[in-house]
Amino acid sequence: MRTIGILTVLAVALVVSAAAGILVGAVAIGPSDVVAALFGSNDVNGTIIRELRLPRVLGAALVGGSLATAGALLQGLLRNPLADPFVTGTSAGATLAAVGAIALGASAPIVPLAAFAGALVAVTIVWRLARLGGSTTVLTVLLAGVVLTSFVGAVVTFILVSSDRLALRLRAVLGWLQGGVSVISWEELAVAAVIVAAGFGFALFLAHRLDAYAFGEETAATLGVDPDRTTTAVLAATALLSGAAVALAGLVGFVGLVVPHALRFAIGATHRRLIPASFFAGAAALVLADLGARVLVSPAEVPVGAITGLVGAPFFLALLVRSRRVVV
Amino acid sequence: MRSRVVVFLAVLLLTLASCGGAVTISPSPSVTASSFPATLSDFQNRSVTVPARPERLVSIGPSITAFLFALGAGPRVVGVDDFSDEPAEAATREHVGGIKVNFEKVVALKPDLVFSVKFSDGTIEKLQAASLNVLVVDPQSVSDVAKTATLLGKAVGADGEALARSIQQRVDAVKAKTANVTNRPRVYHEIDASDPAKIFTVGPGSYINDLIDIAGGTNIAARAASAYPQLSAEEILKTDPEIIVLAADAYSPKPTDVAARQGWSIIAAVKNNRIVTIDPNLINRPGPRVGEAAEAYAKLVHPELFR
């Protein structure tokens, strides 16, 4: 009962944020015109709402929800509240592939596809490395992810420094690295939604196993949860979720770290509740962050990654301070 | 602060985008009407005295370089910035840096007069501190161009007035053609759309805004708050441009890419297939080719006047 109550509150928050995101934009359109536009009015307002604002808001919701869900999964698997969706190297793989694609002169829809493929390849590499000893241990997942991320960071720095020689479109790369949902086509949105739905369904299916993980890998094993298979399954689910997110929006930080972390404080660590709650809260958070990105310095825009960092980092610190007080 | 950085980047991109191209104005005969010492007021209202006819010139600014060659002072130019490539001969001179000026190189060239565009990072002051005579020349509008020709003519001892007149005549010829047009189509000039949600265009106070005006068009961003404003895709859809102009280099989107952007199919220019390209070398620099630039732009906006 409590679960349903929490989820209802978060779902309502998401709907309210989305409504705000659709009502407010660079061009002032009155609420009645917005409603008319949603129901197919055939003028310029209709196009602005249906082709620009609505996909943008839905994209932000999808990205925020995916990142927060992936964060919740990984924090549960690694039993580490500092885990974010990129800890398994997805951001590194996606970045390398996307920057490489931009350097080769590709644009939409090749860049998001490359990013998604890069994210999957990176998780696969991390997973293979983690399995070298025979079984998959979470510590090796973490280490392999960190090493891969640092390595790719160095490679990308090298590419950026030699951007002159590569005739790289530096602004396109920087825009991608800063993260943003700006313009998303309905086709991209539909493909991403299918991937996210698969990842999210998988995540719900894994919820009870992650609960067993809270007591450690050995205890989980005695509870009948195969740590090897569970690690693999969780990695696969997070790869789908964060891969789709980076493909749509580039590197958006902090949502996947802060949202599940905060929810753990607020509603407890039961994954059956935490996973859907993370999706709704993450979605609402990124829709609001994107709204902020659009209106704060209007008519210009801030990259949404800057907003999530600006709000997320102090929020995370506040949680940290509070958790210390509780412990002491 | 951020927007300044972005504007700076946009201007930088503009400068970078305008590499290549040849000058078409033939050097005016340098009949020396001016006399030395000459006391000149530059673009920052500084009073600069040129004691004698300068023999070693350094130019920091591609349009200044183009003017110096157009004035027949090319042989006296010993150093140029990294972007100066008009006329082609200019690029053969010693390079003294681009965004960051290499002061040691400038000093080593022993110039008796340095021309520079405006800098906000203390470059001008550092050049002066190195005991160099610096004249700040920074044309930003079409009317600045004739003024620049006159000022540079006086500074180097060439007939700047004649060059100014020939430039003005060519601009006036275009103005005369477009003076009586009954319709002034809405023009959207794209500078950079790396982020398709917030696109750089030209606003009031920019050189290209002047060109659009002379060409008989209406800049959709004519009332923006800055010379290089960002527009959201929403605003571009709302203003419904009748002509979309791309100053296309190798990496810019092509007209087909622009037409395919989400939601853009309702724009008049897209419906009527009026997405056109123009040579960035020609229109990005407020230089001696301004008349040619105005004419090229007018041909895009009012092709019917040039049949």
Side-chain angles (χ1 to χ4, degrees):
Chain A
M1 213 42 224
R2 190 176 157 224
T3 307
I4 293 172
I6 291 165
L7 292 183
T8 309
V9 169
L10 289 174
V12 169
L14 173 57
V15 170
V16 171
S17 325
I22 295 169
L23 281 168
V24 180
V27 171
I29 301 176
S32 57
D33 288 340
V34 170
V35 173
L38 287 175
F39 289 99
S41 69
N42 223 348
D43 56 0
V44 60
N45 288 344
T47 308
I48 289 175
I49 298 292
R50 288 193 308 273
E51 300 293 317
L52 298 176
R53 272 192 216 168
L54 191 57
R56 180 170 184 158
V57 167
L58 293 177
L62 211 52
V63 169
S66 305
L67 290 175
T69 308
L73 288 174
L74 285 167
Q75 287 173 8
L77 177 75
L78 302 171
R79 295 187 304 282
N80 187 334
L82 282 174
D84 75 4
F86 302 139
V87 79
T88 52
T90 44
S91 65
T95 304
L96 188 58
V99 172
I102 294 171
L104 291 174
S107 48
I110 303 299
V111 175
L113 280 179
F116 182 68
L120 293 195
V121 169
V123 177
T124 310
I125 292 172
V126 165
W127 176 70
R128 296 289 298 182
L129 287 174
R131 279 181 67 86
L132 280 180
S135 67
T136 323
T137 56
V138 290
L139 186 63
T140 20
V141 168
L142 203 55
L143 288 175
V146 168
V147 170
L148 191 71
T149 303
S150 316
F151 175 71
V152 169
V155 174
V156 169
T157 305
F158 190 79
I159 293 178
L160 288 181
V161 168
S162 46
S163 62
D164 275 1
R165 232 166 290 170
L166 298 171
L168 193 61
R169 289 170 302 157
L170 208 53
R171 282 201 59 215
V173 173
L174 291 179
W176 197 87
L177 291 177
Q178 287 167 341
V181 276
S182 65
V183 174
I184 294 177
S185 73
W186 283 106
E187 292 79 14
E188 287 173 302
L189 205 56
V191 174
V194 171
I195 298 169
V196 169
F200 184 71
F202 205 8
L204 282 180
F205 172 73
L206 293 167
H208 74 278
R209 298 187 185 209
L210 283 173
D211 290 339
Y213 252 66
F215 305 105
E217 273 169 276
E218 289 81 9
T219 317
T222 61
L223 289 171
V225 173
D226 180 351
D228 201 27
R229 282 174 55 190
T230 305
T231 306
T232 304
V234 170
L235 287 184
T238 56
L240 291 178
L241 290 166
S242 55
V246 287
L248 278 187
L251 300 186
V252 177
F254 278 100
V255 177
L257 173 66
V258 175
V259 169
H261 192 69
L263 283 173
R264 219 176 280 268
F265 276 101
I267 65 170
T270 312
H271 283 86
R272 205 159 33 89
R273 188 186 295 154
L274 185 62
I275 285 170
S278 293
F279 188 90
F280 287 134
L286 199 60
V287 169
L288 287 179
D290 183 50
L291 181 60
R294 283 185 279 154
V295 299
L296 279 184
V297 295
S298 176
E301 285 187 22
V302 189
V304 73
I307 301 278
T308 55
L310 208 61
V311 180
F315 190 70
F316 189 73
L317 280 179
L319 283 178
L320 204 65
V321 171
R322 219 188 102 192
S323 71
R324 281 286 156 194
R325 282 212 195 105
V326 173
V327 172
V328 173
Chain B
M1 197 56 212
R2 178 171 184 85
S3 71
R4 292 213 174 170
V5 174
V6 170
V7 166
F8 169 75
L9 275 175
V11 173
L12 169 66
L13 280 165
L14 260 179
T15 320
L16 290 173
S18 14
C19 300
V23 95
T24 52
I25 290 194
S26 53
S28 343
S30 38
V31 195
T32 311
S34 45
S35 54
F36 293 99
T39 301
L40 308 167
S41 175
D42 75 1
F43 273 67
Q44 282 182 336
N45 295 319
R46 295 157 63 249
S47 179
V48 177
T49 301
V50 185
R53 184 178 187 264
E55 297 302 332
R56 296 181 64 79
L57 308 172
V58 166
S59 164
I60 303 167
S63 60
I64 304 174
T65 309
F67 273 113
L68 291 176
F69 278 81
L71 286 164
R76 287 185 275 158
V77 175
V78 293
V80 297
D81 65 277
D82 296 351
F83 305 113
S84 282
D85 52 6
E86 274 184 60
E89 192 195 343
T92 65
R93 300 298 196 269
E94 195 70 36
H95 284 190
V96 297
I99 308 306
K100 285 278 167 209
V101 172
N102 186 328
F103 298 102
E104 286 190 20
K105 269 197 163 176
V106 177
V107 172
L109 287 168
K110 298 198 177 73
D112 42 19
L113 189 53
V114 176
F115 302 98
S116 174
V117 293
K118 287 177 187 168
F119 277 89
S120 53
D121 62 356
T123 296
I124 307 293
E125 290 74 13
K126 276 190 199 165
L127 289 168
Q128 283 183 300
S131 306
L132 295 169
N133 202 11
V134 186
L135 191 73
V136 178
V137 180
D138 203 341
Q140 292 292 343
S141 66
V142 170
S143 57
D144 278 354
V145 172
K147 181 181 156 192
T148 303
T150 309
L151 177 65
L152 288 177
K154 283 181 186 157
V156 300
D159 193 352
E161 301 284 355
L163 179 60
R165 271 195 304 277
S166 80
I167 290 172
Q168 197 57 51
Q169 272 168 13
R170 193 137 184 212
V171 172
D172 287 345
V174 180
K175 278 185 180 167
K177 280 206 166 194
T178 59
N180 298 318
V181 291
T182 45
N183 73 317
R184 298 180 71 85
R186 293 181 300 279
V187 175
Y188 156 59
H189 183 102
E190 180 165 303
I191 294 181
D192 179 86
S194 296
D195 185 338
K198 34 187 180 177
I199 303 175
F200 280 104
T201 184
V202 291
S206 68
Y207 171 65
I208 296 173
N209 186 62
D210 284 354
L211 290 181
I212 296 173
D213 200 39
I214 293 171
T218 308
N219 181 6
I220 61 161
R223 276 179 294 170
S226 66
Y228 295 96
Q230 272 183 306
L231 289 186
S232 72
E234 290 189 7
E235 288 167 304
I236 294 170
L237 257 57
K238 191 74 182 176
T239 50
D240 193 25
E242 292 158 278
I243 301 170
I244 297 176
V245 180
L246 310 171
D249 61 28
Y251 308 110
S252 311
K254 308 283 172 281
T256 46
D257 302 329
V258 173
R261 284 182 190 155
Q262 178 118 330
W264 285 44
S265 56
I266 61 154
I267 295 176
V270 179
K271 282 190 211 153
N272 303 325
N273 206 11
R274 288 198 74 185
I275 309 176
V276 294
T277 58
I278 193 165
D279 176 11
N281 304 336
L282 180 61
I283 57 146
N284 285 346
R285 287 176 187 168
R289 292 209 285 163
V290 57
E292 197 185 330
E295 191 178 312
Y297 219 113
K299 279 180 181 162
L300 299 177
V301 179
H302 286 290
E304 75 282 359
L305 296 178
F306 293 88
R307 281 203 188 108

